Amino acid sequence: MERYSPKPKDFAKCLKTKNLWDMKLYLKDVRNLVAANMSLDKVGKLFNLPVSKLAFPYEEARSIKRLKHLTSLHVYDEQFWKNTFSNRIAPLENRLEAQAIYNSQKFSNVYDFSVFYLKQDCLLLHSIVLMLFTAYLNDNINIFTRRNYSQSSLSLSLIHIWRCRR
């Protein structure tokens, strides 16, 4: 796959001229392919991916200093794990799994666990996109069926590999 890194002048020229985009890969919002209430973890399980999303105490992530100060995940403290945005508490099973990972990786604080958590989150999303792209290439399945406009699909519409024809 050819990759082209335009100079600012080339990029501006391509934006002003119609039909100069040679699309190689275009990422769409995977939420258009599944039910609206499906979480990232449920999408991964739907596609039988070996990667899963971990639980994280979001309310405790008020600052890096705070995360570095916390030395335990307090799995039995429901207030520690309450997410006021979704008004949910992570299930105890998920909290225990997070604590097991925390212990096995020998993290010294919650900040170190948060870095691991974010990498796991990205790995899951990457695995979903790779699985969709592999299905597109191998099975000739057109996963790009329609253009839907949502905040995430608009932001993802800017992520693509392209080459400007000269």
Side-chain angles (χ1 to χ4, degrees):
M1 186 178 289
E2 183 179 340
R3 187 173 180 186
Y4 174 72
S5 299
K7 296 180 176 100
K9 289 179 184 176
D10 292 340
F11 185 72
K13 180 181 172 186
C14 286
L15 288 176
K16 290 178 183 177
T17 310
K18 291 184 178 184
N19 299 322
L20 290 180
W21 300 104
D22 186 11
M23 301 301 291
K24 297 295 183 187
L25 172 63
Y26 192 88
L27 301 177
K28 295 291 273 186
D29 188 349
V30 295
R31 285 181 289 176
N32 292 331
L33 302 173
V34 295
N37 64 345
M38 289 191 79
S39 66
L40 186 61
D41 193 43
K42 286 180 184 177
V43 173
K45 288 176 182 170
L46 174 71
F47 294 135
N48 296 319
L49 295 175
V51 183
S52 64
K53 186 172 171 67
L54 300 174
F56 188 79
Y58 300 105
E59 296 298 317
E60 300 304 318
R62 290 175 241 158
S63 70
I64 291 174
K65 184 177 179 180
R66 170 135 176 92
L67 290 174
K68 287 184 176 183
H69 178 73
L70 294 169
T71 57
S72 170
L73 291 177
H74 304 284
V75 291
Y76 296 105
D77 181 357
E78 290 190 348
Q79 282 304 114
F80 189 85
W81 287 88
K82 184 173 182 177
N83 184 338
T84 54
F85 181 72
S86 66
N87 202 26
R88 294 184 184 163
I89 297 170
L92 180 59
E93 178 183 324
N94 296 7
R95 293 180 278 170
L96 290 170
E97 178 187 6
Q99 186 66 51
I101 291 169
Y102 185 95
N103 295 339
S104 70
Q105 296 290 320
K106 297 182 174 140
F107 294 127
S108 58
N109 56 47
V110 178
Y111 174 79
D112 294 339
F113 176 76
S114 74
V115 172
F116 181 85
Y117 166 82
L118 291 172
K119 288 178 183 176
Q120 187 80 4
D121 214 24
C122 290
L123 179 60
L124 177 57
L125 184 57
H126 175 75
S127 299
I128 291 168
V129 171
L130 246 166
M131 187 275 314
L132 290 171
F133 189 59
T134 302
Y136 176 70
L137 290 176
N138 293 341
D139 302 325
N140 201 23
I141 297 172
N142 184 5
I143 59 173
F144 313 114
T145 55
R146 64 178 189 236
R147 182 166 181 92
N148 290 325
Y149 293 98
S150 66
Q151 182 176 353
S152 54
S153 69
L154 288 173
S155 64
L156 281 176
S157 70
L158 298 176
I159 302 172
H160 51 239
I161 299 171
W162 58 276
R163 185 184 72 216
C164 180
R165 293 186 211 143
R166 294 179 186 192

